[in-house]
Amino acid sequence: MNTKVIALDDYLNQIQEAISRNQLDEALIILSRAIDDYPTHAKLHINCGNLQHNLGLIDEAQKSFEAARKLSESKEVLNNLGVLLIEKKKYDEAIEHFLLALTYDTHYPDAHYNLSVCHDIKGNYEVTLSHLKKCLSVDDGHILSNILLFKTYQNVCDWENLGDLEKKLNVYQNTGHEHPFLNITRDDNEKNNYQNAVRWYQKNYIKKDCENIKVKTGKSPRKNIGFICGEIRNHPTFHLIKNLFKYLNREKVNLFLFYYDHDQSFLESLKQDVENLIDVDGNSDDVIESKVKSVNLDILIDLSILIPHNKMSVLDRKLAPITISYLGYPGTSGSSAYDYIIADKIVIPEDMENFYSEKVLYMPGSYQVNDGERKYPSKKIERSRFNLPRDALVLCCFNQSFKIDRLIFKSWLKILKDDDRAYLWLLQDNLLMRKNILSNLDRENIDENRIIFAEKVSRNTHLERLSCADIALDTRIYNGHTSTTDAIQCGVPVVTLSGNHFASRVSHSLLLSAGLSELVTFNLNDYIEKIRQLSSDDEYRQKIRAKLQDEMLTSEFYNIKKFARDFETTILSI
């Protein structure tokens, strides 16, 4: 008996109707039937790949796009394949696909944009800028290119070009296009950050229907606590949290760590401290969901949140009765994935709680964990090893280049003008950043030799050289977080300007914890004056350095055992 084939338009209407109801699995089933009936229709395979991509089925999506490519190679299918390869971190292969797409249309904006994404990730900022400008020459309203252009100018400290672009980004702010991380690096208004994050989440995540997992009833002697993290490698999150696990009370908690994007040697260092290490690297969202739910967690703590290669899409499926955002992202996710965020009353004052989609869990001290280790050297480090003048006053900032803005940099130049002994020591994030920083010196008539650029080195060497600095200068809109902790642990005073949102108040929180509230300022003039005081008054500076090395005065900052007890009490109080 012949089965009547459904008309293609009817299939497309059914698929669209299922998508409108957010029934993506149902839409995928209908698409599969349509492909069975119309196997040579390339756009059906492309649509199938797009749906699979949205559902986190990356390998399946790649197969669908490859099937479409065999039927009819086009710039669109090559571009889609390239996007998947970016997600798989196969950037060189992705670049090949985008370049091939350009052979079909040399002005194809999406291919130029995606090429810029690849080169941005690889740190090739000149090539990034070249492709962004080509994209915008064809479509000057290309929203994602304008946003990435702003981010790239931040990374290379090209402040001349940021003003007009920021006006464009302010227009885009509530359209869901601007990533929340970029938003908090340029705007310290928590209401704006919140609204942007909510819209970004609504636009970029399609929530899959799932049943809420009920909180377990009855008293259990141990709670199943899970962490999920993609930074078990040479990454700030790892360096901060690595010693917390060993001090969590196993009479109260049974510990699970779900890891991905890891470095095996770093993972090995955790094996004796975490009893249940579960590999989810390269797993689909469905597989991750199955693995996490199989261990019957009470609480799941995400250490990545919104930073690259996060797992928010699967966390949105409610993998545990309680999901907590901690450490990896200093702000609200704007999503329904998290029930709570761990903070303190400095980084999230109580009157700012309504600008968070999460309920706030307050730690009694600073929210930010550290490894509890003092790192100042037992013997003097020779400055000549790091190309530093022996008798200079060395002012350092090892924060990433995107955190340096024109206003804060001008304040540093004022110090250089006032004190001939002063040298500025910056992390050389990239060559364009170096070029742009030095061009600012020319305009201010300051000798370029008074800025010394530090190459990227191993973490141990970095901590060793950090102790050679006299004062660490914090950035304004996005503070140093791990870098502030590093400076404190190396015995270097940090001057901070406490701001108006989470990311700009972290150093304030850390300095209070270290007993150094006198290094926290609240406006730019006081910030400059505090640096001048430390620079000009050698006795005062030595007094502050002595406080940093006083084990009693700084005991709270280093007491990781107490931090672990407070952390347990905080999360188990829910």
Side-chain angles (χ1 to χ4, degrees):
M1 180 178 178
N2 291 329
T3 303
K4 186 178 179 181
V5 175
I6 298 173
L8 180 59
D9 284 347
D10 289 338
Y11 270 129
L12 295 176
N13 289 334
Q14 290 176 32
I15 292 162
Q16 193 57 48
E17 197 274 332
I19 291 172
S20 70
R21 291 185 285 107
N22 201 27
Q23 298 296 322
L24 301 192
D25 289 325
E26 180 185 334
L28 194 56
I29 290 169
I30 299 168
L31 249 175
S32 297
R33 291 182 192 142
I35 288 170
D36 286 341
D37 285 346
Y38 300 94
T40 60
H41 197 286
K43 287 196 173 180
L44 283 177
H45 292 278
I46 291 175
N47 290 338
C48 187
N50 289 333
L51 262 181
Q52 290 163 328
H53 188 189
N54 283 329
L55 288 167
L57 305 172
I58 303 301
D59 291 334
E60 291 86 343
Q62 187 169 356
K63 290 175 184 176
S64 293
F65 291 142
E66 290 288 5
R69 183 182 181 183
K70 286 180 182 177
L71 291 167
S72 177
E73 184 171 277
S74 64
K75 63 182 184 181
E76 290 84 6
V77 75
L78 288 165
N79 185 69
N80 288 355
L81 280 166
V83 170
L84 292 182
L85 290 165
I86 290 176
E87 293 200 19
K88 291 187 171 188
K89 295 197 280 188
K90 296 180 178 180
Y91 305 118
D92 291 334
E93 287 185 48
I95 287 169
E96 289 175 8
H97 281 72
F98 299 132
L99 289 174
L100 190 54
L102 289 174
T103 64
Y104 287 86
D105 178 358
T106 56
H107 302 296
Y108 185 28
D110 288 353
H112 281 297
Y113 167 72
N114 285 318
L115 280 164
S116 71
V117 170
C118 290
H119 287 289
D120 172 66
I121 292 167
K122 289 164 71 71
N124 301 329
Y125 295 120
E126 291 192 50
V127 184
T128 301
L129 291 169
S130 172
H131 283 292
L132 286 172
K133 289 171 182 177
K134 287 176 182 176
C135 174
L136 292 167
S137 71
V138 178
D139 178 8
D140 65 356
H142 195 283
I143 294 176
L144 294 179
S145 288
N146 278 296
I147 290 171
L148 182 53
L149 187 61
F150 185 94
K151 175 177 177 284
T152 306
Y153 283 146
Q154 278 187 322
N155 285 332
V156 302
C157 297
D158 184 348
W159 306 310
E160 295 293 330
N161 287 302
L162 287 179
D164 290 339
L165 265 176
E166 186 142 31
K167 291 175 186 175
K168 287 186 177 181
L169 263 63
N170 289 338
V171 173
Y172 304 151
Q173 195 164 50
N174 292 317
T175 65
H177 290 95
E178 183 183 3
H179 192 284
F181 184 87
L182 179 62
N183 189 253
I184 65 170
T185 69
R186 69 178 190 88
D187 187 349
D188 65 351
N189 183 305
E190 287 204 293
K191 182 179 179 180
N192 291 344
N193 302 151
Y194 169 70
Q195 291 175 341
N196 181 77
V198 169
R199 287 293 298 118
W200 188 84
Y201 168 74
Q202 291 170 344
K203 179 177 177 58
N204 291 280
Y205 284 89
I206 300 173
K207 189 171 177 65
K208 186 176 180 180
D209 288 342
C210 56
E211 293 183 11
N212 282 336
I213 300 176
K214 294 181 180 179
V215 177
K216 299 174 191 176
T217 56
K219 289 192 175 181
S220 171
R222 299 173 76 200
K223 298 291 185 183
N224 287 341
I225 307 298
F227 291 82
I228 185 165
C229 184
E231 291 76 46
I232 307 301
R233 47 192 162 85
N234 186 18
H235 187 278
T237 296
F238 173 81
H239 296 305
L240 289 173
I241 205 165
K242 64 181 182 180
N243 286 343
L244 175 64
F245 303 120
K246 72 174 71 173
Y247 293 111
L248 293 175
N249 186 346
R250 294 313 194 269
E251 292 181 2
K252 294 183 178 181
V253 303
N254 185 29
L255 199 59
F256 297 82
L257 175 60
F258 301 88
Y259 61 89
Y260 60 96
D261 287 358
H262 62 287
D263 182 304
Q264 191 61 34
S265 62
F266 287 81
L267 186 67
E268 290 291 329
S269 70
L270 295 180
K271 283 191 172 179
Q272 62 184 3
D273 300 324
V274 182
E275 54 267 39
N276 301 290
L277 289 167
I278 300 173
D279 186 359
V280 296
D281 191 38
N283 291 173
S284 69
D285 286 358
D286 288 342
V287 172
I288 294 173
E289 178 181 8
S290 176
K291 285 185 176 181
V292 176
K293 286 183 174 178
S294 72
V295 302
N296 200 24
L297 293 177
D298 293 283
I299 297 172
L300 177 60
I301 301 170
D302 184 12
L303 297 174
S304 302
I305 312 100
L306 278 164
I307 61 178
H309 306 292
N310 62 74
K311 297 299 180 187
M312 191 190 289
S313 61
V314 68
L315 265 67
D316 219 359
R317 300 185 185 185
K318 208 62 187 165
L319 308 185
I322 295 165
T323 306
I324 298 175
S325 162
Y326 178 55
L327 197 60
Y329 178 70
T332 183
S333 67
S335 84
S336 59
Y338 305 96
D339 303 292
Y340 296 91
I341 182 172
I342 295 175
D344 60 55
K345 291 185 179 180
I346 297 296
V347 294
I348 305 180
E350 289 178 293
D351 61 354
M352 291 290 143
E353 287 185 29
N354 56 326
F355 297 129
Y356 285 77
S357 56
E358 309 85 355
K359 295 176 184 176
V360 183
L361 286 173
Y362 285 111
M363 291 284 287
S366 179
Y367 86 101
Q368 184 174 290
V369 67
N370 65 69
D371 60 13
E373 299 171 3
R374 297 174 188 271
K375 297 182 169 70
Y376 40 83
S378 56
K379 61 182 181 179
K380 186 176 180 180
I381 306 297
E382 291 297 327
R383 284 181 163 183
S384 58
R385 284 181 53 195
F386 303 108
N387 300 316
L388 298 172
R390 187 179 67 178
D391 299 320
L393 179 76
V394 178
L395 312 176
C396 80
C397 179
F398 288 133
N399 296 355
Q400 290 172 271
S401 58
F402 75 84
K403 298 183 181 184
I404 304 172
D405 69 299
R406 172 179 274 169
L407 199 59
I408 207 73
F409 187 71
K410 282 189 171 182
S411 73
W412 299 346
L413 295 188
K414 286 181 181 180
I415 305 299
L416 294 188
K417 284 184 173 182
D418 289 349
D419 192 334
D420 291 338
R421 299 177 306 151
Y423 283 71
L424 186 57
W425 193 19
L426 302 178
L427 180 66
Q428 183 171 298
D429 212 301
N430 59 81
L431 291 175
L432 269 182
M433 169 261 195
R434 177 188 180 115
K435 177 183 175 183
N436 289 324
I437 288 287
L438 292 177
S439 70
N440 279 273
L441 291 195
D442 290 340
R443 288 191 287 271
E444 297 290 338
N445 198 28
I446 296 174
D447 185 349
E448 69 174 33
N449 291 319
R450 293 181 65 196
I451 292 193
I452 299 164
F453 291 94
E455 300 285 341
K456 293 180 180 179
V457 294
S458 71
R459 178 162 174 78
N460 287 339
T461 301
H462 170 65
L463 293 173
E464 190 177 20
R465 72 182 177 185
L466 182 51
S467 64
C468 295
D470 291 297
I471 306 167
L473 309 180
D474 199 14
T475 41
R476 187 175 65 97
I477 297 179
Y478 198 121
N479 293 166
H481 297 178
T482 308
S483 56
T484 296
T485 290
D486 289 344
I488 292 170
Q489 290 181 312
C490 290
V492 180
V494 182
V495 181
T496 192
L497 172 54
S498 188
N500 300 314
H501 68 339
F502 192 135
S504 59
R505 290 192 284 247
V506 172
S507 292
H508 181 174
S509 170
L510 294 170
L511 286 165
L512 284 190
S513 177
L516 288 164
S517 59
E518 61 263 53
L519 298 183
V520 180
T521 67
F522 298 93
N523 61 67
L524 198 59
N525 286 335
D526 287 349
Y527 173 82
I528 293 169
E529 287 308 310
K530 178 56 67 174
I531 298 168
R532 280 179 174 148
Q533 182 185 10
L534 281 167
S535 300
S536 61
D537 189 337
D538 293 347
E539 185 177 340
Y540 176 63
R541 188 171 67 255
Q542 291 309 316
K543 178 183 173 184
I544 296 295
R545 292 182 75 96
K547 286 183 73 172
L548 280 166
Q549 296 189 33
D550 188 310
E551 295 193 7
M552 185 173 292
L553 289 174
T554 57
S555 60
E556 180 184 338
F557 181 82
Y558 289 100
N559 193 342
I560 183 135
K561 291 181 181 179
K562 179 180 182 300
F563 185 96
R565 291 195 298 272
D566 290 341
F567 189 86
E568 290 164 8
T569 300
T570 300
I571 64 173
L572 296 179
S573 68
I574 301 169

